[in-house]
């Protein structure tokens, strides 16, 4: 009796392993989707083989084990494809051992696969508790079918006590396995919901504070324009009010430039971006500002590719380059250099500006940290960090006060285009030459 229990527990252990381990792997959402879909099935197939190999009781004709549990679970949760596959594995592997039990296995496995395929949709849409109950009942039914066939078909049936034990233990095992599976999945769903809620909270929080930041200068500007309109004012006062209004509008615009492309709700899709073209585009946008500050821009660009969302990548470059130019109010040189460093794309943006102290450097990237007073938003670097993070890259900053700052952006190199497309272009080039 004790040895029977021991073997049942060993079977149960095999079955519980994938119940706990597979969700951990599939949750990472790495690897091809098809593989993730069939991973549970593959695990259950291995478990079925293990159960038959290390059974609870093996006579000449019959092998008693808990293989029906992984067969039911894999099929009910997986659908018709996994059901057929698992039934096939069971039948083929059990056939290797021979005996009258093979016929029972064939009939019972096909019955399980057929019932699961028909019921899988209804099964997964049931509430959790009912799913467990149904699975237990089904495993009892398949156990009953097995025992009936075993007792009546052959001349020397297995001992009745063994059959009865099997009849009771299988549903009990199913109860444990199914309840554990439901619990694991429930916890996983809960965790996903919490993570999403946290993200939403961060976004709402930021959006609220930024709309507040934009509303303030707009209200101030509106107030001054109203003053100009309503009261007869001396020319000097009018000019002063108009200047304040314009400054406030500039501030609102600065916040929008630093943040809004980033927060744009339209979902963008990541694509292959040519770093050279993107940097050139951003330089085009920023050149008026550079000219205003008497800043020379020197570039050595190379057309490496990275994966990311175009608008966000531009926003990030814009924020970093804008800071560099703003750090050189009396003119200077801005170097932008693109190269490969240790297999990663390196975009180095170096200025000869005011630089930063160690304390400033440490606070860089904090929302609303700025040394530019009313003109700064303190959002630019935060946004840049977020974007580079989302592209799986990193930012390193070196700075020396009164000497300048170098921002190094490292990004994973996108897979290179297939050789044929390059060689086509090269062929054309050679033809011209
Ligand atoms: P903002 O530009 O609106 O102040 P940022 O987040 O873009 O906000 O930058 C935060 C602060 O970091 C700036 O106020 C400035 O003090 C410092 N900083 C960023 N880039 C540089 C740089 N290239 N040189 C010197 N200081 C910089
Ligand atoms: Mg900035």
């Amino acid at each position: 009796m004790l040895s029977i229990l021991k073997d049942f527990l060993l079977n149960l252990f095999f079955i519980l392993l994938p119940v706990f381990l597979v969700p951990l792997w599939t949750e990472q959402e790495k690897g091809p989707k098809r593989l993730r879909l069939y991973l549970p099935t593959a695990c259950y197939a291995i478990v079925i083989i293990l159960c038959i190999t290390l059974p609870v009781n093996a006579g000449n004709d019959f092998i008693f084990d808990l293989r029906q549990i992984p067969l039911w679970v894999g099929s009910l949760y997986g659908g018709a494809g996994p059901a057929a596959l698992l039934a096939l594995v069971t039948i083929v592997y059990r056939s290797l051992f021979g005996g009258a039990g093979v016929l029972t296995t064939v009939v019972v496995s096909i019955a399980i696969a057929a019932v699961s395929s028909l019921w899988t949709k209804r099964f997964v849409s049931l509430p959790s508790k009912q799913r467990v109950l149904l699975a237990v009942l089904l495993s009892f039914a398949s156990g009953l079918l097995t025992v009936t066939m075993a007792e009546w078909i052959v001349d020397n049936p297995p001992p009745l006590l063994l059959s009865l034990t099997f009849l009771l233990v299988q549903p009990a095992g199913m109860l444990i396995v199914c309840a554990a599976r439901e619990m694991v999945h429930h916890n996983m769903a809960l965790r996903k919901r919490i993570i999403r809620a946290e993200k939403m909270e961060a976004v709402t929080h930021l959006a609220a504070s930024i709309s507040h930041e934009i509303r303030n200068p707009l209200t101030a500007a509106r107030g001054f324009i109203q003053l100009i309109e309503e009261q007869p004012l001396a020319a000097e006062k009018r000019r002063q009010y108009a200047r304040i209004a314009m400054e406030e509008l500039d501030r609102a615009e600065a916040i929008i430039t630093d943040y809004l492309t980033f927060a744009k709700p339209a979902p963008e899709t990541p694509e292959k971006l040519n770093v050279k073209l993107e940097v050139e585009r951003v330089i085009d946008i920023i050149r008026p500002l550079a000219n205003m500050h008497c800043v020379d821009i020197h570039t050595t660009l190379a057309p490496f590719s990275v994966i990311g969302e175009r608008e966000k990548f531009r926003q990030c470059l814009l924020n970093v380059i804008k800071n560099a130019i703003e750090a050189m109010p009396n003119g200077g040189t801005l170097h932008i250099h693109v190269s490969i460093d240790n297999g990663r794309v390196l975009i180095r943006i170096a200025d000869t500006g005011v630089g930063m102290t160690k304390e400033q450097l440490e606070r860089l990237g904090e929302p609303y940290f700025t040394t530019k007073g009313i003109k700064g938003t303190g959002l630019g670097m935060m946004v840049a960090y977020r974007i580079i993070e989302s592209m799986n890259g990193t930012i390193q900053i070196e700075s020396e006060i009164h000497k300048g700052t170098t921002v190094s952006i490292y990004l994973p190199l996108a897979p290179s285009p297939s050789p044929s497309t390059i060689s086509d272009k090269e062929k054309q080039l050679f033809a011209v030459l």
Side-chain angles (χ1 to χ4, degrees):
M1 186 70 196
L2 207 65
S3 86
I4 288 185
L5 193 69
K6 199 181 76 193
D7 292 331
F8 267 126
L9 284 179
L10 188 66
N11 269 209
L12 203 60
F13 170 73
F14 292 147
I15 304 168
L16 280 173
L17 262 187
V19 168
F20 285 104
L21 292 186
V22 168
L24 285 183
W25 202 70
T26 46
E27 200 190 15
Q28 291 183 342
E29 303 199 347
K30 276 184 190 153
K33 204 167 172 211
R34 198 166 259 259
L35 196 74
R36 267 189 284 140
L37 219 61
Y38 273 91
L39 183 79
T41 313
C43 285
Y44 287 126
I46 295 171
V47 168
I48 289 171
I49 291 173
L50 280 174
C51 285
I52 300 176
T53 317
L54 296 165
V56 177
N57 183 292
N60 280 342
D61 280 319
F62 290 97
I63 302 176
F64 278 103
D65 54 62
L66 294 183
R67 78 186 88 130
Q68 287 176 17
I69 298 181
L71 183 55
W72 271 121
V73 174
S75 308
L76 279 172
Y77 287 98
L85 217 77
L86 291 174
L88 193 72
V89 170
T90 314
I91 293 168
V92 170
Y93 192 67
R94 176 61 188 84
S95 310
L96 300 180
F97 295 86
V102 175
L103 180 67
T104 317
T105 304
V106 172
V107 172
V108 174
S109 303
I110 290 176
I112 292 178
V115 171
S116 317
S117 306
L118 286 177
W119 281 9
T120 180
K121 271 213 183 97
R122 209 174 308 158
F123 178 78
V124 289
S125 64
L126 282 177
S128 181
K129 274 191 189 135
Q130 290 183 25
R131 263 202 301 255
V132 177
L133 190 70
L134 184 61
V136 171
L137 287 178
L138 285 173
S139 73
F140 180 72
S142 69
L144 200 62
L145 182 63
T146 315
V147 169
T148 317
M149 284 189 75
E151 292 294 329
W152 299 111
I153 283 182
V154 288
D155 300 333
N156 60 340
L160 198 63
L161 186 68
L162 184 69
S163 296
L164 286 180
T165 318
F166 175 73
L167 209 53
L168 288 180
V169 170
Q170 176 156 288
M174 185 60 126
L175 180 70
I176 296 171
V177 171
C178 229
R181 193 191 178 283
E182 290 295 329
M183 204 175 66
V184 169
H185 280 254
H186 175 74
N187 279 347
M188 245 167 57
L190 204 69
R191 215 173 64 213
K192 269 195 193 142
R193 267 220 304 277
I194 291 173
I195 291 172
R196 204 162 40 228
E198 266 174 11
K199 263 192 203 155
M200 276 312 289
E201 213 219 66
V203 170
T204 337
H205 185 79
L206 215 58
S209 73
I210 279 163
S211 74
H212 175 80
E213 288 284 305
I214 294 177
R215 196 171 296 128
N216 271 354
L218 288 184
T219 318
R222 188 182 185 283
F224 281 103
I225 293 169
Q226 203 173 6
L227 277 181
I228 295 170
E229 197 208 9
E230 280 174 2
Q231 293 173 4
L233 292 169
E236 174 59 25
K237 263 272 184 282
R238 271 170 67 121
R239 229 175 292 134
Q240 190 191 347
Y241 286 176
R243 205 184 55 242
I244 299 175
M246 272 188 308
E247 273 174 13
E248 294 294 322
L249 289 179
D250 284 347
R251 174 161 177 74
E253 201 212 336
I255 295 168
I256 292 171
T257 346
D258 274 359
Y259 185 76
L260 245 58
T261 333
F262 168 69
K264 205 175 75 174
E268 276 192 67
T269 41
E271 53 186 317
K272 210 170 195 182
L273 305 171
N274 182 325
V275 176
K276 180 171 189 273
L277 295 183
E278 296 308 320
V279 172
E280 279 171 351
R281 179 79 192 90
V282 173
I283 293 176
D284 285 344
I285 300 170
I286 207 125
R287 198 169 295 277
L289 185 77
N291 290 342
M292 213 166 77
H293 282 74
C294 304
V295 167
D296 282 334
I297 303 181
H298 291 269
T299 56
T300 34
L301 306 177
F304 296 119
S305 296
V306 294
I307 303 281
E309 295 165 37
R310 191 180 301 280
E311 287 299 327
K312 288 187 180 161
F313 185 53
R314 282 183 189 170
Q315 172 92 64
C316 162
L317 293 175
L318 184 76
N319 288 4
V320 174
I321 296 175
K322 195 161 140 257
N323 277 346
I325 294 174
E326 284 166 353
M328 299 182 278
N330 305 317
T333 325
L334 175 69
H335 284 279
I336 305 179
H337 180 73
V338 177
S339 61
I340 287 280
D341 183 86
N342 265 335
R344 290 184 304 170
V345 177
L346 165 62
I347 307 164
R348 188 181 289 140
I349 297 161
D351 63 60
T352 54
V354 293
M356 278 176 274
T357 62
K358 216 167 148 247
E359 290 74 30
Q360 286 171 346
L361 203 57
E362 270 167 15
R363 291 196 58 192
L364 200 65
E366 265 179 38
Y368 304 120
F369 164 68
T370 177
T371 54
K372 296 173 192 165
I374 184 89
K375 283 221 172 78
T377 64
L379 294 173
M381 282 313 287
M382 179 202 72
V383 165
Y385 274 112
R386 294 258 172 104
I387 293 170
I388 295 302
E389 242 169 57
S390 74
M391 293 170 73
N392 291 326
T394 51
I395 299 187
Q396 279 173 19
I397 302 177
E398 287 156 46
S399 187
E400 209 174 321
I401 198 103
H402 303 313
K403 286 250 173 75
T405 306
T406 302
V407 179
S408 307
I409 302 174
Y410 293 90
L411 287 166
L413 181 64
S416 55
S418 64
S420 67
T421 52
I422 294 177
S423 63
D424 272 358
K425 272 190 188 157
E426 279 173 354
K427 266 183 221 155
Q428 281 174 9
L429 262 178
F430 285 130
V432 173
L433 288 172

